[in-house]
Amino acid sequence: MAADHYETLGVSRQATPDEIQKAYRQMARKHHPDLNPNDTKAKEKFQQVQAAFDVLNDPQKRELYDRYGNAYETFGGGGGGGGPRPGGPNPWAGAGGPGAGGFEVNLDDLFGGGAGMGGGVGGGGFADLFKTFKQKNKRAAPTKGHNIEHTLTVPFATAVLGGEAQISLQRVDGTTESLRVKIPAGIEPGKKIRLRGKGEESESGGAAGDLLIKVDVAPHPHYRRQGNRLDVRVPITLAEAIGGAKIDLPTPNGTITLTVPPGTSSGGKLRVKGQGVKHSNGEVGDLFAEVMVVVPKDISPDDREQLVEILKKYPQNPRSELRW
């Protein structure tokens, strides 16, 4: 059901042309889309106000509307352009984008640009009112500054244990800023650290952007990482492999004693629980030590021959399961 034009402008059916124009200005300012950027229905309400004024400001259309309501267009009330209407000059005509029924209006007209509109509010006119509104609106909804992305490579141990790193940023004004960055324990390669307010400054007085630091991890010469798991290859002697041994093994939590069972072969993996990567969320992984038997190179020919003869007493075929 179409809205009643009098109700839309908030006037009675006996309202004078001056009262209708006054009501229109108030309602147009109230519902103008540019003044209500967060109101999705402002445009629709503004168009209703435009349409109501287009009819009630025209004596001929108003007379037909009073007789036939919204069906007045059937009786010849649907025409009309954007020019002056009977009953007085149109203070809004030719001011901006087209409105309902060819009616044209913009914010300059609503706040002081049209004829007969100046000096109405506090001696400064609606133009000053609108200027004040825009300034307040700009302060109320400033835009945030742009984020800055930066890549930081940290040592393997720092990524596992956590720590601090220092970076240097080249600002847009040419200055260089040094920042200390806290590296959380257990951070994985490719993860980002956000430093709020360390990005670019806002051009509209808003909050500064953020600094997004992508973390790369330098490789370790001996240790490898899979999630929270650590892998390391541990060289052992032939005697340690045959007879078993207790050896020292460095870990993120300090040096521990690793027990090598007798008869351990190269490639065997020994699991040490809780000695992997401890994440900042409390999760902790395990460490897997893969033993590698190292045969002495400077053994004498006699000793080598004796050792071979001894081992021949224990024949085996370690390649029995080898397949193509």
Side-chain angles (χ1 to χ4, degrees):
M1 181 177 179
D4 183 275
H5 291 332
Y6 289 97
E7 291 182 0
T8 298
L9 294 182
V11 297
S12 68
R13 291 187 175 273
Q14 292 75 37
T16 66
D18 289 340
E19 290 174 337
I20 289 174
Q21 287 196 11
K22 181 179 179 180
Y24 166 71
R25 293 165 186 156
Q26 293 175 347
M27 298 300 290
R29 288 195 300 271
K30 179 179 179 181
H31 298 296
H32 198 287
D34 290 351
L35 304 182
N36 298 274
N38 298 322
D39 187 353
T40 58
K41 295 184 178 180
K43 182 178 180 180
E44 179 181 351
K45 294 177 182 178
F46 184 75
Q47 290 174 342
Q48 292 175 357
V49 171
Q50 294 273 68
F53 181 74
D54 183 63
V55 173
L56 300 184
N57 191 53
D58 187 324
Q60 294 179 0
K61 291 184 180 181
R62 182 179 180 182
E63 181 181 357
L64 291 173
Y65 181 81
D66 289 340
R67 288 185 183 183
Y68 307 108
N70 288 306
Y72 79 98
E73 294 182 350
T74 307
F75 300 92
R85 293 167 173 74
N90 174 15
W92 315 103
F103 188 80
E104 298 180 343
V105 64
N106 68 10
L107 289 176
D108 289 335
D109 298 324
L110 292 177
F111 294 95
M117 292 290 291
V121 177
F126 287 113
D128 291 339
L129 176 64
F130 180 48
K131 182 178 179 181
T132 301
F133 175 86
K134 290 196 295 183
Q135 290 174 344
K136 290 183 177 179
N137 188 59
K138 183 177 180 181
R139 290 195 297 268
T143 57
K144 184 179 179 181
H146 294 296
N147 293 338
I148 297 177
E149 294 193 1
H150 185 84
T151 299
L152 172 66
T153 300
V154 300
F156 189 92
T158 301
V160 172
L161 299 174
E164 285 190 350
Q166 183 168 321
I167 63 174
S168 295
L169 287 181
Q170 188 76 27
R171 295 295 185 182
V172 293
D173 60 1
T175 61
T176 301
E177 181 179 4
S178 296
L179 295 174
R180 299 292 297 179
V181 182
K182 184 177 181 180
I183 310 298
I187 191 169
E188 297 182 16
K191 294 293 184 180
K192 292 184 178 181
I193 299 174
R194 181 186 294 268
L195 297 185
R196 299 190 182 277
K198 295 299 183 181
E200 293 185 5
E201 296 292 334
S202 171
E203 296 181 355
S204 59
D210 300 334
L211 174 61
L212 303 177
I213 304 174
K214 179 184 176 183
V215 177
D216 285 344
V217 180
H220 194 281
H222 304 294
Y223 284 83
R224 299 292 181 270
R225 178 179 176 182
Q226 302 180 53
N228 289 342
R229 166 177 168 170
L230 285 180
D231 289 274
V232 60
R233 289 184 173 180
V234 183
I236 61 174
T237 67
L238 182 59
E240 290 170 337
I242 294 176
K246 293 185 180 296
I247 62 175
D248 291 337
L249 178 65
T251 73
N253 301 313
T255 301
I256 65 171
T257 299
L258 179 66
T259 299
V260 180
T264 299
S265 299
S266 284
K269 292 185 178 181
L270 305 176
R271 181 177 183 177
V272 185
K273 291 185 177 182
Q275 293 297 332
V277 179
K278 185 175 182 180
H279 201 275
S280 57
N281 61 11
E283 296 180 0
V284 60
D286 298 333
L287 185 151
F288 287 80
E290 180 183 355
V291 298
M292 301 174 60
V293 179
V294 179
V295 177
K297 295 182 179 180
D298 55 354
I299 187 172
S300 68
D302 290 341
D303 288 342
R304 181 181 293 108
E305 185 176 347
Q306 290 183 22
L307 183 58
V308 169
E309 291 300 323
I310 293 174
L311 294 177
K312 284 181 179 180
K313 297 179 181 179
Y314 307 93
Q316 59 178 337
N317 183 5
R319 298 172 294 280
S320 60
E321 297 181 0
L322 185 63
R323 298 286 186 276
W324 173 247

